[in-house]
Amino acid sequence: MGELAWIFLSAAVINNFTLALFLGLCPFMGVSGKLDTSLRMGAANTFVLTITSLCVWALNTYVLPHAPYLQLISFIVVIASLVQIVEMAIRKLSPTLFREMGIFLPLITTNCAILGLAIFQTNRGYGFLEGIVFALGAGVGLTLALVLMASIREMSELADVPEAARGLGLVLIIAGSLSMAFMGFAGLLSAS
Amino acid sequence: MKKTTPKQDLLRGVWRENPVLVQALGLCPTLAVTNTVANSLAMGLATFFVLMGSSFLVSSFRRWVPREVRISTYILIIATFVTVADMTLAAVVPDIHKALGAFIALIVVNCIILGRQEAFASRNPVGRSLLDAAGTGAGFVISLLLMGGIREVLGQGTFLGVPLLGPHYEPWVIMILPPGGFLTLGVILLAISAIERRRASRAERAAAGTMRRAA
């Protein structure tokens, strides 16, 4: 049990996918303008991460031992079709949610956090349960980073920034400061 | 689409439409692996190779790929080349392959590559697509080297492992840690935006001057 809690905590804050490993920066820069969109984006990502983790576990157990060179190709195909299926399912089950997600759903395919999770999970040899906990932790971490960033950006909209600094440069510097703050969590390692 | 000359195809990606510094694409590898010059170079060249290879194939097969499945086709082509690059790096430079880790595999989801296939290679003949890929790839390599150079020199006082700043230099360790990546790219983008604004205002003033003279 302690092992699982540790995997969760590590993925969520210490090795935060966005702020420490630089995965999933596209949505982090692109949709972190508003708080509620970023929350929804985080939730969608967490969902896809969890299902991906399940599929990757199945691939690793039943398919890839026979054809290791297909790893990357099979992962990306599975992720792309998975996102498509999730998209169709959400459209059927809850049209309101589908409309709210808009373009973000299909874009999850090219989010490197998803493929990154698949590769990390394989390299670290996580089993079924560990994989799911890892995916949940990564999802929580992504959501946390997105929500923090969105809250800061909503406030910086009102601040008086030099005109040249408006836009991505400022966002990156804010992200740098956030990332520095998250490095503090590395201290948890010795405490446990 | 406007007709462009071969020279424009090649040079466009290097500066005016630089994939990282101007279009802000492919940020994940730009930030993640640029803590030393050697890593940046390996990552840049691997991406360059994948970009050239997939542009060539996508452009050659552009007449036979149905529109509905084009994105999946591109992704498959890209994934194949990434697998080749991954295995090659593992065989030739195992140390760097280890340092780059999962990020070589993640070239598959680098939006620069997919973006060039969709925007250029799928609609243009092979020769021009290769020029476009070379330009964009070179732009990516240059951005990575810029990032890697700044971070390694400030963070370790070395360039490509050669001591540069003397034994009394106290390294800024933060530059080779994750926050350093964000801060370096942020400062570079701020500088570029400041330069662009100055150029724009100068052009405006020049235009205003011509108009006054004309009047």
Side-chain angles (χ1 to χ4, degrees), chain A residues 18-26 28-29 68-69 71-73 76-77 109-113 115-116 119-120 123 163-166 168-170 172-177 179-180 183, chain B residues 20 24 26-29 31-33 75-76 79-80 82-83 86-87 101-106 108-109 111 114 151 174 177-183 185-187 189-190 193-194 197:
Chain A
T18 311
L19 293 171
L21 299 177
F22 304 108
L23 296 171
L25 284 179
C26 299
F28 184 63
M29 300 293 164
Y69 52 88
Q71 191 192 47
L72 206 51
I73 297 177
I76 194 78
V77 170
T109 312
T110 48
N111 183 339
C112 31
L115 185 59
I119 293 168
F120 284 137
N123 289 353
E163 208 140 310
R166 284 179 195 280
L168 205 58
L170 183 69
L172 278 164
I173 293 192
I174 296 176
S177 331
S179 163
M180 238 186 278
M183 274 175 61
Chain B
V20 178
L27 290 179
C28 305
L31 292 165
V33 299
I75 287 272
L76 274 183
T80 313
V82 172
T83 310
D86 192 19
M87 290 176 173
F103 281 96
I104 302 184
L106 287 175
V108 178
V109 281
C111 11
L114 193 58
R151 288 180 72 186
I174 191 85
L177 295 175
F182 284 117
L183 295 178
L185 188 61
V187 170
L189 288 183
L190 287 188
S193 121
R197 288 182 56 78

Side-chain angles (χ1 to χ4, degrees), chain A residues 85-171:
Chain A
I85 293 173
V86 170
E87 196 184 345
M88 287 194 285
I90 292 185
R91 187 189 301 189
K92 262 275 184 284
L93 296 176
S94 158
T96 358
L97 187 65
F98 180 75
R99 230 172 302 135
E100 283 178 353
M101 298 266 210
I103 180 76
F104 300 143
L105 258 181
L107 277 185
I108 294 177
T109 312
T110 48
N111 183 339
C112 31
I114 314 282
L115 185 59
L117 175 105
I119 293 168
F120 284 137
Q121 187 184 347
T122 312
N123 289 353
R124 295 179 191 169
Y126 284 158
F128 181 73
L129 205 56
E130 289 159 321
I132 290 183
V133 171
F134 181 53
L136 283 176
V140 169
L142 276 182
T143 315
L144 186 65
L146 266 171
V147 167
L148 279 175
M149 193 64 191
S151 329
I152 298 179
R153 274 179 83 172
E154 274 188 353
M155 289 192 190
S156 79
E157 290 281 298
L158 303 172
D160 184 21
V161 202
E163 208 140 310
R166 284 179 195 280
L168 205 58
L170 183 69
V171 177

Side-chain angles (χ1 to χ4, degrees), chain B residues 10-23 135-136 138-139 142-143 146 188 192 195-196 199:
Chain B
L10 180 64
L11 293 182
R12 183 180 41 209
V14 179
W15 180 249
R16 286 204 68 78
E17 292 181 17
N18 186 298
V20 178
L21 303 176
V22 179
Q23 303 186 47
T136 311
I142 292 172
S143 328
L146 184 67
I188 295 178
I192 290 182
I195 294 172
E196 286 288 319
R199 188 181 293 164

Side-chain angles (χ1 to χ4, degrees), chain A residues 26-102:
Chain A
C26 299
F28 184 63
M29 300 293 164
V31 299
S32 62
K34 278 216 206 98
L35 195 54
D36 56 335
T37 352
S38 67
L39 251 178
R40 227 166 277 140
M41 183 67 189
N45 267 321
T46 312
F47 185 60
V48 178
L49 278 170
T50 316
I51 307 183
T52 308
S53 164
L54 277 175
C55 296
V56 165
W57 171 79
L59 273 178
N60 276 337
T61 319
Y62 298 111
V63 183
L64 289 176
H66 308 294
Y69 52 88
L70 279 181
Q71 191 192 47
L72 206 51
I73 297 177
S74 60
F75 283 177
I76 194 78
V77 170
V78 164
I79 292 173
S81 13
L82 204 64
V83 172
Q84 200 101 56
I85 293 173
V86 170
E87 196 184 345
M88 287 194 285
I90 292 185
R91 187 189 301 189
K92 262 275 184 284
L93 296 176
S94 158
T96 358
L97 187 65
F98 180 75
R99 230 172 302 135
E100 283 178 353
M101 298 266 210

